[in-house]
Amino acid sequence: MTESTKTIVDNEIIKDFIITNLDYIVLEKINEGHMGLPIFRCIDDSGGLRVIKIGVGAQVKQEIDDNLHGYTSIVAAGAEMIVPENIKTIDTPWGRAIDLPDLGQDFTKSSTTESKTRKNYEVLDRIFLDVIKKTRVHDRESHLKGVVEAVSQVQKWSSQLIDSGIATADLNEIIVAIDPHVISGTVASVMILDFTPDNIFINNGSIKFIDPWRQKNYLGTPLPALAQFITLAESVYKIPGFNEEALNYSELVQNIGKELELNPQAVAAQVYLGRALQFSLSSYVRISSNPEFSRKYAKLSRENIEKITHL
């Protein structure tokens, strides 16, 4: 059975489970990402719109458990305002599924014009800074742990690129040369990696975040996460109107730096770190499907890593 045929069969198995066991009507499969389990938009038995993250196979339990751990940890860090309300878990033959309220279109899909992008970004700008202010604490150790985790993620995905021949072996030596102590600060706040336009929903003047990774630390530094978002929106997805001249997102970066009491070099380094992480991820998921772009993003990841060591 080919991979595409298996996917079709799995989707039909999932739809049958949702219809038979939940009494939901399945409207459509809505996720089109490079990684992760399928997500289906449904109508529940009261007529409300729901989305269900569900899958078939060995990876299901781990991914769902990681998501649930992430939601709980984000709330524990004080950022409950960006976690969707009314999250349910469903027992399935393959582990568990997550049942969420339908949040509409994510940032990427809803930002179809420059004016819509600006409107979405204004909400993101305001809420993101509010979340940082609400969750900030004087905690040097947590900030450092956050930087260490971001560096380790860059190293993890860069190693995949090296093993695949997309990046050269000396890249790891450059990453190892980064000293997290030099680019850290004394104030920490909530840190959510994989903070991407696909995982962000603008909803009634607020933002909601879905699909959290399992992280060692959810209290750290938010700058690499914001840099991930900016990198995808501007350089990979090329969302209409998403550029610094139009949105002045450098102002948000600087405001967060002030909240974290970071010097300009540390702010720049953490932004380069987040950009390197996102470019390495964007390279990894395209190794087979688009080798040309995989190499392009690997090169951009390396350039950002090198910038950190040259500060």
Side-chain angles (χ1 to χ4, degrees):
M1 184 184 297
T2 66
E3 189 64 29
S4 59
T5 302
K6 183 180 183 303
T7 299
I8 294 171
V9 171
D10 287 350
N11 287 342
E12 291 305 313
I13 292 172
I14 290 169
K15 289 178 185 177
D16 183 65
F17 173 84
I18 293 172
I19 294 168
T20 303
N21 292 272
L22 303 182
D23 199 25
Y24 284 11
I25 298 171
V26 179
L27 296 178
E28 59 181 334
K29 181 182 177 184
I30 60 174
N31 66 318
E32 301 169 355
H34 295 280
M35 302 167 68
L37 298 176
I39 298 176
F40 292 85
R41 177 174 283 119
C42 306
I43 300 176
D44 65 19
D45 52 8
S46 65
L49 286 174
R50 306 287 296 181
V51 292
I52 299 180
K53 182 173 183 179
I54 185 171
V56 176
Q59 88 280 17
V60 171
K61 184 179 186 302
Q62 185 62 57
E63 186 169 340
I64 295 296
D65 287 350
D66 288 349
N67 286 164
L68 294 172
H69 173 77
Y71 289 131
T72 301
S73 300
I74 292 168
V75 171
E80 66 281 351
M81 69 286 291
I82 65 172
V83 173
E85 296 88 1
N86 193 20
I87 297 175
K88 301 176 183 179
T89 58
I90 302 166
D91 292 327
T92 77
W94 316 284
R96 286 192 290 180
I98 296 178
D99 183 351
L100 300 167
D102 184 13
L103 300 172
Q105 292 185 313
D106 60 44
F107 191 103
T108 305
K109 292 186 177 70
S110 63
S111 299
T112 54
T113 65
E114 291 189 11
S115 61
K116 289 181 179 179
T117 298
R118 181 180 294 279
K119 184 178 179 180
N120 284 342
Y121 182 76
E122 286 173 354
V123 177
L124 176 73
D125 185 315
R126 174 174 54 83
I127 300 298
F128 194 84
L129 188 57
D130 286 347
V131 169
I132 303 313
K133 290 179 178 179
K134 182 179 182 296
T135 60
R136 70 187 294 276
V137 290
H138 282 85
D139 188 339
R140 181 190 298 272
E141 182 179 359
S142 290
H143 191 125
L144 176 60
K145 286 180 178 179
V147 174
V148 169
E149 180 148 15
V151 173
S152 70
Q153 286 290 333
V154 172
Q155 191 166 27
K156 170 186 174 180
W157 296 108
S158 295
S159 294
Q160 297 282 351
L161 301 181
I162 292 169
D163 292 344
S164 301
I166 297 295
T168 55
D170 65 324
L171 177 59
N172 190 56
E173 298 173 11
I174 302 172
I175 298 171
V176 170
I178 297 173
D179 184 352
H181 294 83
V182 174
I183 62 175
S184 294
T186 60
V187 177
S189 74
V190 68
M191 180 180 79
I192 307 170
L193 298 176
D194 206 30
F195 190 84
T196 69
D198 302 319
N199 292 341
I200 298 297
F201 293 77
I202 308 297
N203 193 273
N204 296 324
S206 64
I207 64 173
K208 299 297 179 185
F209 173 78
I210 67 166
D211 272 3
W213 282 352
R214 179 179 290 271
Q215 300 172 198
K216 292 180 180 178
N217 308 282
Y218 291 84
L219 190 65
T221 171
L223 280 174
L226 179 62
Q228 278 190 272
F229 184 96
I230 292 170
T231 300
L232 263 180
E234 182 182 48
S235 302
V236 179
Y237 294 163
K238 300 186 185 303
I239 290 175
F242 204 103
N243 57 73
E244 192 167 337
E245 290 73 22
L247 298 175
N248 195 23
Y249 46 72
S250 62
E251 182 178 355
L252 176 58
V253 169
Q254 298 309 317
N255 285 336
I256 293 172
K258 291 176 183 176
E259 290 294 328
L260 301 179
E261 300 178 13
L262 291 171
N263 63 52
Q265 289 76 22
V267 170
Q270 291 191 18
V271 169
Y272 293 144
L273 183 61
R275 290 180 68 83
L277 173 56
Q278 189 53 57
F279 278 131
S280 65
L281 275 164
S282 294
S283 174
Y284 170 75
V285 299
R286 291 170 174 81
I287 289 174
S288 299
S289 62
N290 195 330
E292 179 184 355
F293 274 80
S294 180
R295 290 188 174 85
K296 172 185 175 181
Y297 294 139
K299 181 175 182 292
L300 289 169
S301 178
R302 180 184 180 116
E303 288 175 358
N304 278 275
I305 294 167
E306 290 175 337
K307 288 177 181 178
I308 300 172
T309 63
H310 293 157
L311 284 172

